[in-house]
Amino acid sequence: MVALAHSSPSATRLRAVDDFLSEAYADLVKHDDRLRDNAVEVRFDRGVAHLTGDVADAEELRLVRQLVGRLDGVLAVWSRVRVGGRQPIVLDLGCGPAKQYPDNLGFDLRVAPGVHAQADLSRSLPVADNSVDVIFTVHILEHLIDFLVLVDECHRVLRPGGVLHVMSPWWQHVNAVADPTHVRLLDVQTIKGICQRPPGTPRWYPLHAGCDGASIFADLTPLGVDDPEPAASHMARFFD
């Protein structure tokens, strides 16, 4: 399993993997009628698929995400796609001056270029319930002693079908311990724990999870109170 990788790939290999994924997706579009006429652009960067463009509805976006995520070597599927002509509302938490996409709404404890609002990520987010389409937490969870507070807040503010993107240092890589402000160690199995919390707590469905030997990645979508648990076969795709 990719989660058991013990060394991070070289830059040369990462570029080669991106080239492979670009060719594989082009071939998929050529042979799968469900993708042939779609207006989604897919760019691969170090194993992360970046989706932009337009879809008619949420179901079309779900299908594209699913098919891209099945390609061998994809670590995460990050999306900023317009649905039915509506620009998605995307939060970039703890972004500092380096947001994942320029138009994201930046939240950070400190003022910096691109930060729209100051927010203590260890507390409640100043955002309304069910009002956000996508949230990025890139190199954030490892800085929080109790990151479940933030994860629960993301669950609250995401719309049904919204996606939380997680990226953090893998616990066995030197980056996890080299920064003295890191207070938590994370593994892909940590994401499994987030998705299998006790009844009565916010629940998540893992769209994707992986590790490249340096970082862990996860794409999570919130489950409603009456939604079924993820199937064991689906969980086994990502977790031990």
Side-chain angles (χ1 to χ4, degrees):
M1 293 176 61
V2 70
L4 299 180
H6 286 283
S7 61
S8 54
S10 66
T12 300
R13 185 184 176 197
L14 287 169
R15 286 192 295 270
V17 169
D18 289 338
D19 289 343
F20 163 79
L21 289 171
S22 297
E23 294 171 4
Y25 182 68
D27 189 60
L28 182 64
V29 171
K30 187 192 314 183
H31 293 93
D32 193 321
D33 291 340
R34 295 173 296 177
L35 292 174
R36 193 164 298 158
D37 296 324
N38 83 85
V40 175
E41 298 178 3
V42 182
R43 176 178 63 86
F44 297 96
D45 183 11
R46 301 175 68 89
V48 175
H50 295 262
L51 275 55
T52 55
D54 295 86
V55 294
D57 51 39
E59 180 60 25
E60 183 181 357
L61 178 56
R62 184 201 64 79
L63 176 64
V64 175
R65 283 191 56 95
Q66 182 184 69
L67 296 179
V68 171
R70 288 177 178 174
L71 296 175
D72 186 27
V74 170
L75 294 165
V77 183
W78 291 4
S79 171
R80 190 179 173 88
V81 174
R82 290 179 293 274
V83 179
R86 183 179 67 83
Q87 193 74 21
I89 296 177
V90 184
L91 300 187
D92 213 320
L93 301 182
C95 61
K99 292 185 291 188
Q100 304 310 309
Y101 298 109
D103 294 335
N104 291 355
L105 297 174
F107 281 50
D108 202 292
L109 186 61
R110 297 175 179 83
V111 176
V115 172
H116 294 83
Q118 287 183 270
D120 183 349
L121 301 183
S122 65
R123 301 178 182 274
S124 299
L125 294 174
V127 182
D129 294 0
N130 304 318
S131 61
V132 174
D133 299 292
V134 178
I135 299 176
F136 285 95
T137 56
V138 176
H139 292 297
I140 297 303
L141 298 190
E142 65 273 16
H143 293 275
L144 302 174
I145 294 175
D146 185 2
F147 61 72
L148 288 177
V149 173
L150 179 59
V151 170
D152 289 351
E153 277 294 283
C154 291
H155 193 285
R156 176 183 66 81
V157 305
L158 279 171
R159 294 187 172 111
V163 179
L164 168 63
H165 297 302
V166 176
M167 180 181 176
S168 286
W170 184 43
W171 74 280
Q172 290 196 44
H173 193 274
V174 65
N175 289 346
V177 295
D179 187 338
T181 67
H182 291 175
V183 294
R184 295 298 299 269
L185 298 176
L186 289 89
D187 184 75
V188 175
Q189 296 300 112
T190 310
I191 304 302
K192 179 182 181 182
I194 290 173
C195 296
Q196 293 187 329
R197 292 171 65 198
T201 56
R203 299 181 305 133
W204 295 89
Y205 184 93
L207 298 171
H208 211 87
C211 176
D212 66 356
S215 302
I216 66 164
F217 300 82
D219 302 330
L220 307 175
T221 191
L223 287 173
V225 174
D226 298 323
D227 290 332
E229 297 291 332
S233 57
H234 180 76
M235 296 293 284
R237 178 185 173 197
F238 306 120
F239 310 115
D240 292 341

